[in-house]
């Protein structure tokens, strides 16, 4: 953590918060104090997804609240977390992954027209991506959904939190063990 600049530390906090909540980046960056509710010694997040309109209510673990608390004094706006343009955020978390040493080569894939296609950093040479190069804001949602499923959280609840409808066929693309 000492090797990270202030900007990268802030990006890391946003990334970790996203891995906890599973929110889309567009919802994450517009969170405000009004989305929080304190009951007893617990903090709950209440948000309506911008993309799907679904309501998400979740108890935040202590370390998520600590991330929010870190930014309460420097905020110029009502938002809970530091703001980054999406492209810059992805660049920052890829840099963090590189600093962390997550540079092993990985096969990447994407879904096109219902088929899984292999992606290469250099298709002519079939050069693989480094793991850090594959980190994006979407990684936060995949991480959150996968962890919840590994912890045996009811799939219906995970779908509700992630904004996937019961009949959604894309949901399982997010689960990566």
């Amino acid at each position: 953590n000492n090797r990270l600049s202030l900007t990268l530390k802030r990006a890391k906090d946003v990334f970790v918060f996203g891995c906890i909540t599973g929110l889309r980046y567009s919802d994450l960056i517009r969170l405000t104090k009004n989305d929080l509710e304190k009951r007893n010694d617990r903090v709950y997040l209440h948000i309506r997804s911008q993309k799907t309109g679904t309501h998400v209510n979740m108890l935040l673990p202590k370390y998520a609240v600590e991330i929010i608390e870190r930014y309460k004094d420097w905020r110029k706006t009502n938002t809970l977390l530091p703001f980054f343009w999406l492209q810059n955020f992805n660049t920052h978390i890829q840099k963090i992954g590189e600093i962390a040493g997550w540079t092993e080569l990985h096969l990447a894939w994407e879904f096109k027209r219902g088929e899984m296609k292999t992606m290469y950093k250099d298709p002519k040479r079939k050069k693989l991506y480094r793991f850090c190069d594959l980190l994006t804001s979407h990684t936060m949602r995949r991480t959150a959904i996968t962890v919840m499923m590994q912890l045996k959280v009811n799939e219906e609840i995970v779908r509700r939190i992630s904004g996937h409808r019961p009949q959604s066929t894309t949901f399982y693309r997010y689960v990566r063990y």
Side-chain angles (χ1 to χ4, degrees):
N1 202 15
N2 291 335
R3 295 184 293 169
L4 300 181
S5 67
L6 183 58
T7 299
L8 292 182
K9 286 178 183 179
R10 289 176 177 168
K12 176 194 61 87
D13 283 343
V14 173
F15 185 77
V16 170
F17 195 86
C19 289
I20 296 165
T21 61
L23 295 176
R24 288 178 179 82
Y25 187 74
S26 58
D27 292 328
L28 203 60
I29 60 170
R30 64 183 189 86
L31 289 174
T32 68
K33 295 176 212 170
N34 297 333
D35 297 318
L36 298 177
E37 178 189 353
K38 290 186 180 181
R39 276 190 265 152
N40 302 323
D41 288 336
R42 296 176 163 207
V43 178
Y44 294 83
L45 180 65
H46 303 288
I47 183 171
R48 186 171 190 203
S49 172
Q50 190 174 19
K51 182 177 179 182
T52 63
T54 54
H55 291 275
V56 175
N57 300 306
M58 70 177 72
L59 172 65
L60 292 177
K62 185 179 178 185
Y63 55 95
V65 176
E66 288 170 1
I67 290 172
I68 293 170
E69 289 293 316
R70 227 174 267 150
Y71 299 101
K72 72 178 180 183
D73 293 333
W74 71 271
R75 285 188 210 113
K76 294 178 182 141
T77 64
N78 195 27
T79 59
L80 293 180
L81 299 167
F83 174 82
F84 296 94
W85 294 106
L86 181 58
Q87 184 175 351
N88 292 340
F89 180 71
N90 287 337
T91 300
H92 293 330
I93 60 176
Q94 289 167 0
K95 180 67 176 168
I96 292 166
E98 183 178 45
I99 291 169
W102 299 344
T103 55
E104 61 277 357
L105 297 178
H106 273 268
L107 190 60
W109 62 88
E110 66 182 342
F111 287 92
K112 279 193 176 178
R113 293 180 219 109
E115 282 187 43
M116 195 164 76
K117 303 274 184 184
T118 303
M119 295 179 356
Y120 295 99
K121 189 168 187 167
D122 181 350
K124 287 184 181 181
R125 296 188 183 122
K126 294 199 174 195
K127 183 177 177 186
L128 300 175
Y129 284 91
R130 298 179 309 164
F131 181 72
C132 60
D133 297 330
L134 298 172
L135 295 173
T136 68
S137 63
H138 220 61
T139 306
M140 299 180 304
R141 282 176 56 75
R142 283 197 172 102
T143 300
I145 291 169
T146 300
V147 168
M148 285 186 257
M149 295 296 288
Q150 285 177 323
L151 292 173
K152 309 273 190 259
V153 175
N154 181 295
E155 185 178 316
E156 181 182 329
I157 293 170
V158 177
R159 284 176 179 272
R160 208 174 313 139
I161 290 170
S162 67
H164 288 95
R165 292 193 171 96
Q167 65 276 16
S168 169
T169 56
T170 61
F171 176 76
Y172 287 104
R173 292 184 196 167
Y174 285 83
V175 181
R176 301 246 174 107
Y177 293 110

